[in-house]
Every structure is written in C-alpha cells, then in structure tokens.
Amino acid sequence: MARDHAKKKALEALEATGNNRREAGLLLRVWAEADEKLKSELVAPFLNNICALTVQSAAAGLAARRKPGTRRARPADQAASLLEAISGGGAQTMSSSRSSAPPPPASSARHRQAVTLLASAFKPTNSKS
C-alpha cells in the first residue's frame, strides 16, 4: 500500500512518545520535514483540496482587483456615513408616530389567558405592616 511508510512512522512516533497523540503528531511533523517520502504520503490525500482552495483564493483576489471604482471605505468615511444615517431627517425616532412595520398579529384567547394568569401570580399582596 502507498501509505504503509506513513503508518509505520506514525506507530513509531506513538511508541516513542509513550502513546501521547499530541507529541506523536509533532514528532511526525518533524520527521516529515526531513523525509520527503513521508511528507508526500501525509499530504497526498489533501493535495486536491489544498490546490482547489488556493485557486479559489487567487480567483477571489483577482476579482476584487478587477472591479473598477470599488474601494474599501476608510473608518472616517464609515463613521461619517453612520452619523449621517442616524441624524438624517428620514430616520424615525421613538416618539415618531409613523410606522412602516405592519402591526403585530392579535393574540389568541389562550395566550391572553396565560399572560393574565402569569401576571396575577406576581401581584403584590395587600399586607398591612
């Protein structure tokens, strides 16, 4: 099998570290830096995905550079646009009578009864001090 060398080295690393998986992984990585065959066996199952991710990342960077007129807004520009949106005349306030949202649906009789029962459980008692 093509990955026999990697499996043997993994078992050897586990044995060398007293079955400590974390340390065995670190040791296997050190060995892979010196052993090209081991490194290629470890990386082979993931190579297609690594290549696809690299191409995707490069394509996204290329697409971002090609868009004319798009630039990242500076923090000062962002703050100014936020301040404009907040202080603009079209913005509603808490006392505004305009309502762009539809009214909430009417509650059911069962819901009203449950809320009333819950509220009555928290009514203060009339105790005389």
Side-chain angles (χ1 to χ4, degrees), residues 69-92:
T70 58
R71 63 179 176 90
R72 186 173 213 110
R74 295 178 299 191
D77 294 341
Q78 290 174 348
S81 65
L82 180 61
L83 184 59
E84 177 64 31
I86 292 171
S87 65
Q92 290 185 345

PDB file of all heavy atoms in Angstrom, residues 69-92:
ATOM      1  N   GLY A  69     -13.719  51.193  -9.517  1.00  0.00           N
ATOM      2  CA  GLY A  69     -14.486  52.100  -8.687  1.00  0.00           C
ATOM      3  C   GLY A  69     -14.821  51.569  -7.302  1.00  0.00           C
ATOM      4  O   GLY A  69     -15.459  52.259  -6.537  1.00  0.00           O
ATOM      5  N   THR A  70     -14.435  50.354  -6.995  1.00  0.00           N
ATOM      6  CA  THR A  70     -14.711  49.854  -5.652  1.00  0.00           C
ATOM      7  C   THR A  70     -13.479  50.030  -4.807  1.00  0.00           C
ATOM      8  O   THR A  70     -12.384  49.650  -5.197  1.00  0.00           O
ATOM      9  CB  THR A  70     -15.106  48.365  -5.667  1.00  0.00           C
ATOM     10  OG1 THR A  70     -14.067  47.617  -6.266  1.00  0.00           O
ATOM     11  CG2 THR A  70     -16.398  48.150  -6.413  1.00  0.00           C
ATOM     12  N   ARG A  71     -13.672  50.626  -3.688  1.00  0.00           N
ATOM     13  CA  ARG A  71     -12.558  50.786  -2.750  1.00  0.00           C
ATOM     14  C   ARG A  71     -13.087  50.579  -1.362  1.00  0.00           C
ATOM     15  O   ARG A  71     -14.263  50.798  -1.083  1.00  0.00           O
ATOM     16  CB  ARG A  71     -11.906  52.158  -2.880  1.00  0.00           C
ATOM     17  CG  ARG A  71     -12.827  53.311  -2.545  1.00  0.00           C
ATOM     18  CD  ARG A  71     -12.091  54.636  -2.674  1.00  0.00           C
ATOM     19  NE  ARG A  71     -13.002  55.728  -2.438  1.00  0.00           N
ATOM     20  CZ  ARG A  71     -13.232  56.255  -1.247  1.00  0.00           C
ATOM     21  NH1 ARG A  71     -12.620  55.814  -0.189  1.00  0.00           N
ATOM     22  NH2 ARG A  71     -14.089  57.253  -1.111  1.00  0.00           N
ATOM     23  N   ARG A  72     -12.226  50.148  -0.526  1.00  0.00           N
ATOM     24  CA  ARG A  72     -12.625  49.893   0.856  1.00  0.00           C
ATOM     25  C   ARG A  72     -12.787  51.235   1.568  1.00  0.00           C
ATOM     26  O   ARG A  72     -11.927  52.101   1.490  1.00  0.00           O
ATOM     27  CB  ARG A  72     -11.555  49.039   1.538  1.00  0.00           C
ATOM     28  CG  ARG A  72     -11.968  48.615   2.907  1.00  0.00           C
ATOM     29  CD  ARG A  72     -10.960  47.635   3.467  1.00  0.00           C
ATOM     30  NE  ARG A  72     -11.688  46.713   4.290  1.00  0.00           N
ATOM     31  CZ  ARG A  72     -11.895  45.451   4.000  1.00  0.00           C
ATOM     32  NH1 ARG A  72     -11.409  44.942   2.925  1.00  0.00           N
ATOM     33  NH2 ARG A  72     -12.571  44.680   4.807  1.00  0.00           N
ATOM     34  N   ALA A  73     -13.916  51.406   2.225  1.00  0.00           N
ATOM     35  CA  ALA A  73     -14.187  52.655   2.923  1.00  0.00           C
ATOM     36  C   ALA A  73     -13.270  52.792   4.135  1.00  0.00           C
ATOM     37  O   ALA A  73     -13.039  51.836   4.863  1.00  0.00           O
ATOM     38  CB  ALA A  73     -15.640  52.711   3.369  1.00  0.00           C
ATOM     39  N   ARG A  74     -12.749  53.981   4.290  1.00  0.00           N
ATOM     40  CA  ARG A  74     -11.898  54.245   5.449  1.00  0.00           C
ATOM     41  C   ARG A  74     -12.776  54.394   6.683  1.00  0.00           C
ATOM     42  O   ARG A  74     -13.950  54.743   6.579  1.00  0.00           O
ATOM     43  CB  ARG A  74     -11.095  55.516   5.214  1.00  0.00           C
ATOM     44  CG  ARG A  74     -10.104  55.379   4.070  1.00  0.00           C
ATOM     45  CD  ARG A  74      -9.392  56.659   3.866  1.00  0.00           C
ATOM     46  NE  ARG A  74     -10.416  57.662   3.531  1.00  0.00           N
ATOM     47  CZ  ARG A  74     -10.168  58.862   3.084  1.00  0.00           C
ATOM     48  NH1 ARG A  74      -8.939  59.245   2.918  1.00  0.00           N
ATOM     49  NH2 ARG A  74     -11.126  59.697   2.805  1.00  0.00           N
ATOM     50  N   PRO A  75     -12.211  54.146   7.862  1.00  0.00           N
ATOM     51  CA  PRO A  75     -13.018  54.284   9.088  1.00  0.00           C
ATOM     52  C   PRO A  75     -13.673  55.652   9.233  1.00  0.00           C
ATOM     53  O   PRO A  75     -14.796  55.759   9.706  1.00  0.00           O
ATOM     54  CB  PRO A  75     -12.012  54.018  10.208  1.00  0.00           C
ATOM     55  CG  PRO A  75     -10.970  53.157   9.571  1.00  0.00           C
ATOM     56  CD  PRO A  75     -10.896  53.611   8.138  1.00  0.00           C
ATOM     57  N   ALA A  76     -12.999  56.711   8.789  1.00  0.00           N
ATOM     58  CA  ALA A  76     -13.581  58.051   8.890  1.00  0.00           C
ATOM     59  C   ALA A  76     -14.807  58.162   7.988  1.00  0.00           C
ATOM     60  O   ALA A  76     -15.818  58.776   8.359  1.00  0.00           O
ATOM     61  CB  ALA A  76     -12.552  59.110   8.513  1.00  0.00           C
ATOM     62  N   ASP A  77     -14.735  57.573   6.783  1.00  0.00           N
ATOM     63  CA  ASP A  77     -15.879  57.588   5.880  1.00  0.00           C
ATOM     64  C   ASP A  77     -17.038  56.791   6.465  1.00  0.00           C
ATOM     65  O   ASP A  77     -18.192  57.181   6.342  1.00  0.00           O
ATOM     66  CB  ASP A  77     -15.504  56.999   4.515  1.00  0.00           C
ATOM     67  CG  ASP A  77     -14.488  57.857   3.767  1.00  0.00           C
ATOM     68  OD1 ASP A  77     -14.353  59.052   4.126  1.00  0.00           O
ATOM     69  OD2 ASP A  77     -13.836  57.329   2.846  1.00  0.00           O
ATOM     70  N   GLN A  78     -16.724  55.673   7.069  1.00  0.00           N
ATOM     71  CA  GLN A  78     -17.759  54.841   7.666  1.00  0.00           C
ATOM     72  C   GLN A  78     -18.436  55.578   8.817  1.00  0.00           C
ATOM     73  O   GLN A  78     -19.657  55.541   8.955  1.00  0.00           O
ATOM     74  CB  GLN A  78     -17.169  53.525   8.162  1.00  0.00           C
ATOM     75  CG  GLN A  78     -16.730  52.601   7.053  1.00  0.00           C
ATOM     76  CD  GLN A  78     -16.006  51.374   7.582  1.00  0.00           C
ATOM     77  OE1 GLN A  78     -15.646  51.316   8.749  1.00  0.00           O
ATOM     78  NE2 GLN A  78     -15.797  50.410   6.717  1.00  0.00           N
ATOM     79  N   ALA A  79     -17.657  56.251   9.633  1.00  0.00           N
ATOM     80  CA  ALA A  79     -18.220  56.994  10.766  1.00  0.00           C
ATOM     81  C   ALA A  79     -19.103  58.131  10.267  1.00  0.00           C
ATOM     82  O   ALA A  79     -20.184  58.370  10.810  1.00  0.00           O
ATOM     83  CB  ALA A  79     -17.103  57.536  11.652  1.00  0.00           C
ATOM     84  N   ALA A  80     -18.663  58.809   9.209  1.00  0.00           N
ATOM     85  CA  ALA A  80     -19.449  59.919   8.674  1.00  0.00           C
ATOM     86  C   ALA A  80     -20.772  59.418   8.091  1.00  0.00           C
ATOM     87  O   ALA A  80     -21.829  60.034   8.301  1.00  0.00           O
ATOM     88  CB  ALA A  80     -18.651  60.659   7.612  1.00  0.00           C
ATOM     89  N   SER A  81     -20.729  58.295   7.369  1.00  0.00           N
ATOM     90  CA  SER A  81     -21.972  57.783   6.783  1.00  0.00           C
ATOM     91  C   SER A  81     -22.915  57.267   7.873  1.00  0.00           C
ATOM     92  O   SER A  81     -24.131  57.396   7.757  1.00  0.00           O
ATOM     93  CB  SER A  81     -21.677  56.693   5.758  1.00  0.00           C
ATOM     94  OG  SER A  81     -21.096  55.579   6.375  1.00  0.00           O
ATOM     95  N   LEU A  82     -22.372  56.694   8.929  1.00  0.00           N
ATOM     96  CA  LEU A  82     -23.200  56.235  10.042  1.00  0.00           C
ATOM     97  C   LEU A  82     -23.849  57.419  10.743  1.00  0.00           C
ATOM     98  O   LEU A  82     -25.043  57.401  11.053  1.00  0.00           O
ATOM     99  CB  LEU A  82     -22.364  55.418  11.023  1.00  0.00           C
ATOM    100  CG  LEU A  82     -23.083  54.863  12.238  1.00  0.00           C
ATOM    101  CD1 LEU A  82     -24.191  53.918  11.802  1.00  0.00           C
ATOM    102  CD2 LEU A  82     -22.119  54.143  13.151  1.00  0.00           C
ATOM    103  N   LEU A  83     -23.069  58.479  10.971  1.00  0.00           N
ATOM    104  CA  LEU A  83     -23.606  59.667  11.612  1.00  0.00           C
ATOM    105  C   LEU A  83     -24.693  60.307  10.754  1.00  0.00           C
ATOM    106  O   LEU A  83     -25.732  60.742  11.262  1.00  0.00           O
ATOM    107  CB  LEU A  83     -22.481  60.670  11.887  1.00  0.00           C
ATOM    108  CG  LEU A  83     -22.858  61.932  12.633  1.00  0.00           C
ATOM    109  CD1 LEU A  83     -23.451  61.583  13.986  1.00  0.00           C
ATOM    110  CD2 LEU A  83     -21.659  62.827  12.805  1.00  0.00           C
ATOM    111  N   GLU A  84     -24.484  60.314   9.440  1.00  0.00           N
ATOM    112  CA  GLU A  84     -25.488  60.869   8.522  1.00  0.00           C
ATOM    113  C   GLU A  84     -26.779  60.057   8.571  1.00  0.00           C
ATOM    114  O   GLU A  84     -27.875  60.615   8.583  1.00  0.00           O
ATOM    115  CB  GLU A  84     -24.936  60.894   7.097  1.00  0.00           C
ATOM    116  CG  GLU A  84     -25.915  61.387   6.065  1.00  0.00           C
ATOM    117  CD  GLU A  84     -26.319  62.841   6.276  1.00  0.00           C
ATOM    118  OE1 GLU A  84     -25.497  63.625   6.774  1.00  0.00           O
ATOM    119  OE2 GLU A  84     -27.470  63.175   5.941  1.00  0.00           O
ATOM    120  N   ALA A  85     -26.644  58.731   8.622  1.00  0.00           N
ATOM    121  CA  ALA A  85     -27.835  57.878   8.666  1.00  0.00           C
ATOM    122  C   ALA A  85     -28.602  58.068   9.963  1.00  0.00           C
ATOM    123  O   ALA A  85     -29.833  58.067   9.979  1.00  0.00           O
ATOM    124  CB  ALA A  85     -27.422  56.415   8.507  1.00  0.00           C
ATOM    125  N   ILE A  86     -27.886  58.271  11.052  1.00  0.00           N
ATOM    126  CA  ILE A  86     -28.536  58.451  12.350  1.00  0.00           C
ATOM    127  C   ILE A  86     -29.220  59.802  12.439  1.00  0.00           C
ATOM    128  O   ILE A  86     -30.349  59.918  12.914  1.00  0.00           O
ATOM    129  CB  ILE A  86     -27.510  58.288  13.495  1.00  0.00           C
ATOM    130  CG1 ILE A  86     -27.045  56.837  13.581  1.00  0.00           C
ATOM    131  CG2 ILE A  86     -28.094  58.730  14.823  1.00  0.00           C
ATOM    132  CD1 ILE A  86     -25.888  56.626  14.534  1.00  0.00           C
ATOM    133  N   SER A  87     -28.547  60.843  11.966  1.00  0.00           N
ATOM    134  CA  SER A  87     -29.092  62.189  12.127  1.00  0.00           C
ATOM    135  C   SER A  87     -29.964  62.622  10.965  1.00  0.00           C
ATOM    136  O   SER A  87     -30.517  63.706  10.990  1.00  0.00           O
ATOM    137  CB  SER A  87     -27.943  63.190  12.293  1.00  0.00           C
ATOM    138  OG  SER A  87     -27.170  63.233  11.105  1.00  0.00           O
ATOM    139  N   GLY A  88     -30.119  61.791   9.960  1.00  0.00           N
ATOM    140  CA  GLY A  88     -30.921  62.153   8.792  1.00  0.00           C
ATOM    141  C   GLY A  88     -32.363  62.401   9.160  1.00  0.00           C
ATOM    142  O   GLY A  88     -32.907  61.830  10.113  1.00  0.00           O
ATOM    143  N   GLY A  89     -33.036  63.284   8.392  1.00  0.00           N
ATOM    144  CA  GLY A  89     -34.415  63.640   8.676  1.00  0.00           C
ATOM    145  C   GLY A  89     -35.383  62.486   8.464  1.00  0.00           C
ATOM    146  O   GLY A  89     -36.465  62.480   9.025  1.00  0.00           O
ATOM    147  N   GLY A  90     -35.021  61.509   7.651  1.00  0.00           N
ATOM    148  CA  GLY A  90     -35.926  60.417   7.363  1.00  0.00           C
ATOM    149  C   GLY A  90     -35.952  59.339   8.424  1.00  0.00           C
ATOM    150  O   GLY A  90     -36.781  58.452   8.392  1.00  0.00           O
ATOM    151  N   ALA A  91     -35.038  59.431   9.364  1.00  0.00           N
ATOM    152  CA  ALA A  91     -34.963  58.384  10.384  1.00  0.00           C
ATOM    153  C   ALA A  91     -36.071  58.547  11.405  1.00  0.00           C
ATOM    154  O   ALA A  91     -36.407  59.655  11.808  1.00  0.00           O
ATOM    155  CB  ALA A  91     -33.606  58.428  11.081  1.00  0.00           C
ATOM    156  N   GLN A  92     -36.651  57.462  11.806  1.00  0.00           N
ATOM    157  CA  GLN A  92     -37.707  57.509  12.804  1.00  0.00           C
ATOM    158  C   GLN A  92     -37.103  57.599  14.198  1.00  0.00           C
ATOM    159  O   GLN A  92     -36.007  57.116  14.446  1.00  0.00           O
ATOM    160  CB  GLN A  92     -38.572  56.261  12.730  1.00  0.00           C
ATOM    161  CG  GLN A  92     -39.438  56.196  11.496  1.00  0.00           C
ATOM    162  CD  GLN A  92     -40.358  54.994  11.550  1.00  0.00           C
ATOM    163  OE1 GLN A  92     -40.163  54.092  12.335  1.00  0.00           O
ATOM    164  NE2 GLN A  92     -41.369  55.003  10.711  1.00  0.00           N
TER     165      GLN A  92
END
